């Protein structure tokens, strides 16, 4: 009934926010909820993609969410659940009436059900498993036996395969005569008599080749077989590095058990990046905007607690120089500058190092070269800022000695920052700790402690 | 000749580094270069994917790189160039002999050539355009007329389309009889008589349907048409949000001009994330591990310069309280703790905000709710750490008044941090500045200045 702005926008707008939910659409939907006009609500929601509906549910408050879901009733479909942020998902499952939930879940592919179940509490999990049809339940339970975050959880179990000796004609006839091809598939996987995958042929190549051509002669150059237990982050890396579109998954006997497609790999890549960004900032990687205050507080607390310890350590260093500060109060004024510059330079190095480790660009082959580079960069930027700070020290406090002290401390701290920024993440990675998670705390501790100690220590030697 | 460890590793290893270049393989390759054994080099490089060869070239030093490329000679193929990091690419193009370069470039699809040319200097660009065949050159030059980072640059110009009134049989016959289908395509795009795309049919559905079924009845639910000028970041967002596999690209008359596939969108998504991570850390987004010392120094300098200004601002605040510090030197010892906690809390909020803006989860519909949440989180964590610091203040310096001052300053600064962390990125986004790039400097300035001012100011009122 309504000429919907959202539906058209993505196809014609050229502005930056072509895909953001627009405020007017949200207001119209909430109005329909207010006046409890179910037909209007359905008409407004109909053109929206499940992912957009999920975003909408995440953006409105809990009370509106409950009313909207109740009014929307049976229209609620499984894809919306799949798209919802975890923290909201449990709440929504609690609101849905059991029949609607059962229908919604039955619509989903088994890999999406697995994804849904992973994050739920046991009672909710059991309730959902119960409503599945028997064959689906078996498939889902089988997937859940694979380790979390493994290829086994990510894969679809429906595969399209052909014996390696077939030709194009046989393969096309087979495909044309099967009843239950998956809706989305991109390759025919060639298998040997033991069901081990030996090559991929794209549907495009199949379509474009004569009937008598052997499948074998059409296989893709890039063919990667993924063990079912491989970590999903590694899977995403392989898709991105080798431009894979789909890849067969094999069990411990190298038999084909499923297939992973690029859209799933893309979602994992997106999650892993998000996790890295949040971890680098000291935020729990599962944080999201729809978390409540108490959850958010809890997620932020640990990193702040770690930071408090490092800050107190730095203060202990300062306290050893109380006498010097009482005599030359300018030291108290200038000391945070040295520490802050070191912290920033360290963060720069460690971010580059963490990314390079994640993309496997930093290896034992180039580690020494990279360390040397970081130290040199520290020296050069250290000298540049030493000059600036030296001049500021002299102009502000009229003391060339003080200028010299801050300049020397700056060089020392920037070199240490470059070194710590690269060595700490590499060491953490070696001992199996995610460098994105922990490097920041260590590097800042080093730059704070070294910064204060170098500046105040030199000051005692030179000025007093 | 050599049983190559690299080739097997990705298929069987289950450890975290299944895909990293292993040190031994690199050493063997460099040894082959040292003894100038071309056959051995080729045998060692043969099983490697172009992306791995590119990584290898990035990881070795410039001298080895030159020798390797010279020895490898004609084997060097275009895909390696495509995969190389920009900073190394120009150097490698300079090393390649012109004939090898010409052959390498001619192998590439026109969209890859465009990608290659974008980052090159004018003389190199002209040299490469010159070696292309006429038809390719025209295609490349046409693509280069679209704005940088637009859908037009990203798309392939080869499309597979069918009139909207066709049935499955007609479409399959057409595909079977065309000579020049692209190797990789996933959808047949249905077009109206004016060549405007009206729907997508997957090859899988086409294969699985009877000949008389109309294409129209098989179209995908999710169909997004992308204007040729749309920003590539928005394109990647749409692919990720709506799980697109390929999407038609249209010109200003809504006529089909090309198609973007998910693998290209995935590469863009990866770049955008990388850019955000580096920008948040104050590192130029084009930084890479293969940059030289001088480039790296230059890329790091601007952010450190900005940080120096903010650090000096904070010092100016401290200098207003010199007298208080001289009287109570404990103030100098404790003040960095308040500033540092504020800086960390601010970074947490701003990172969540920057990500939420990037994923379009933070909108005008939920802004006030998010701001309220951040302030409340600041209050609660502020109170928690105020308690801890208050106790530390009392135990360490035996002064309940000092404990009270640092506790109060902590609450103030953590609330301000939460507020600044959300408001500053939102304001920057509103005025068109990338919040990932600039928020950090602003937020830290605010938390430093407020931290020192609140702590020292309260100290003057309470203690003196």
């Amino acid at each position: 009934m309504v000429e919907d702005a959202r539906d058209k926008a993505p196809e014609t707008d050229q502005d930056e926010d072509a895909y953001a939910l627009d405020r007017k659409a949200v207001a119209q939907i909430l109005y329909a909820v207010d006046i409890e006009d179910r037909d209007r609500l359905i008409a407004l929601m109909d053109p929206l993609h499940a992912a957009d509906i999920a975003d909408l549910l995440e953006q409105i408050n809990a009370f509106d969410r409950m009313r909207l879901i109740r009014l929307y009733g049976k229209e609620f479909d499984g894809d919306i659940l799949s798209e919802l942020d975890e923290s909201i998902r449990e709440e929504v499952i609690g609101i849905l009436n059991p029949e609607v939930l059962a229908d919604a879940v039955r619509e989903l592919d088994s890999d999406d059900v697995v994804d849904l179940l992973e994050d739920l509490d046991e009672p909710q999990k059991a309730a959902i498993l119960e409503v599945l049809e028997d064959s689906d339940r078996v498939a889902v339970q089988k997937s859940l036996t694979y380790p979390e975050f493994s290829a086994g959880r990510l894969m679809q179990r429906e595969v399209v395969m052909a014996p390696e000796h077939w030709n194009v004609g046989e393969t096309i006839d087979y495909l044309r005569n099967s009843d239950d091809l998956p809706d989305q598939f991109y390759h025919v996987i060639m298998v040997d008599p033991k069901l081990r995958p030996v090559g991929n042929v794209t549907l495009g190549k199949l379509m474009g080749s004569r009937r008598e051509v052997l499948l074998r002669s059409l296989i893709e150059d890039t063919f990667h077989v993924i063990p079912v237990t491989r970590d999903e982050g590694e899977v995403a890396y392989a898709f991105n590095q080798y431009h894979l579109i789909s890849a067969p998954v094999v069990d411990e006997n190298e038999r084909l058990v499923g297939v992973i497609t690029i859209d799933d790999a893309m979602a994992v890549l997106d999650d892993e990046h998000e996790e890295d960004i949040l971890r680098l900032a000291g935020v729990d990687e599962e944080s999201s905007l729809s978390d409540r205050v108490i959850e958010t507080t809890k997620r932020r607390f640990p990193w702040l607690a770690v930071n408090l310890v490092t800050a107190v350590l730095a203060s202990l260093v300062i306290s050893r120089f109380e006498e010097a500060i009482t005599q030359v109060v300018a030291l108290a004024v200038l000391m945070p500058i040295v520490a802050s510059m070191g912290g920033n330079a360290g963060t720069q190095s460690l971010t580059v190092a963490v990314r390079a480790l994640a993309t496997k660009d930093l290896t034992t082959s180039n580690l020494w070269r990279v360390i040397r580079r970081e130290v040199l960069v520290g020296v050069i930027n250290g000298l540049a800022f030493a000059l600036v700070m030296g001049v500021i020290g002299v102009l502000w406090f009229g003391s060339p000695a003080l200028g010299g002290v801050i300049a020397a401390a700056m060089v020392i701290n920037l070199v240490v920052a470059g070194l710590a920024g690269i060595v700490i993440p590499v060491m953490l990675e070696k001992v199996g700790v995610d460098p994105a998670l922990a490097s920041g705390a260590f590097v800042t501790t080093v730059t704070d402690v070294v910064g204060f100690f170098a500046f105040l220590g030199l000051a005692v030697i030179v000025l007093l």
Side-chain angles (χ1 to χ4, degrees), chain A residues 421-444:
Chain A
I422 206 96
V423 171
I424 289 174
V426 169
M427 278 176 17
L428 287 171
E429 168 111 337
K430 277 253 183 283
V431 298
V433 175
D434 180 353
L437 187 61
S439 300
F442 286 105
V443 172
T444 342

Side-chain angles (χ1 to χ4, degrees), chain A residues 30 56-67 91:
Chain A
L30 290 179
L56 169 73
L57 290 172
E58 287 161 17
Q59 286 176 25
I60 62 182
N61 65 42
F63 179 63
D64 287 341
R65 192 150 55 224
M66 188 191 67
R67 293 190 305 154
E91 177 196 321

Side-chain angles (χ1 to χ4, degrees), chain A residues 38 40-41 87 92 95 226 242 248 253 296 341 380 454:
Chain A
R38 180 151 194 270
R40 181 187 288 222
L41 176 67
S87 58
V92 169
I95 297 172
I226 294 172
Y242 303 121
N253 304 314
T296 308
M341 292 295 282
I380 300 175

Side-chain angles (χ1 to χ4, degrees), chain A residues 302-318 335 338-347 350 412-413 416-421 424-425 428 437-454:
Chain A
W303 177 254
L304 292 176
V306 169
N307 181 60
L308 184 65
V309 174
T310 79
V312 169
L313 272 179
S315 289
L316 286 173
V317 173
I318 300 173
M335 69 185 183
V338 178
S340 157
M341 292 295 282
N344 273 273
T347 304
L350 92 85
I412 293 171
N413 209 18
V416 168
L419 199 60
I424 289 174
L428 287 171
L437 187 61
S439 300
F442 286 105
V443 172
T444 342
T445 307
V446 170
T447 54
D448 275 0
V449 167
V450 170
F452 289 129
F453 193 81

Side-chain angles (χ1 to χ4, degrees), chain A residues 19-20 37 62 74 84 86 174 181 196 206 211 231 246 273 290 394 405 423 429:
Chain A
Y19 296 104
D37 184 340
K74 279 188 309 196
L84 271 180
E86 265 177 61
Y174 161 74
L181 289 181
R196 290 181 300 209
L206 201 64
R211 287 187 64 86
D231 179 75
S246 78
H273 275 296
S290 38
V394 173
V405 166
V423 171
E429 168 111 337

Side-chain angles (χ1 to χ4, degrees), chain A residues 110-128:
Chain A
S110 66
D111 57 329
D112 291 328
V113 178
V114 172
D115 189 44
L116 199 67
L117 289 180
E118 280 175 344
D119 310 314
L120 293 181
D121 299 339
E122 280 305 325
Q124 285 195 325
K125 201 184 268 188
I128 285 182

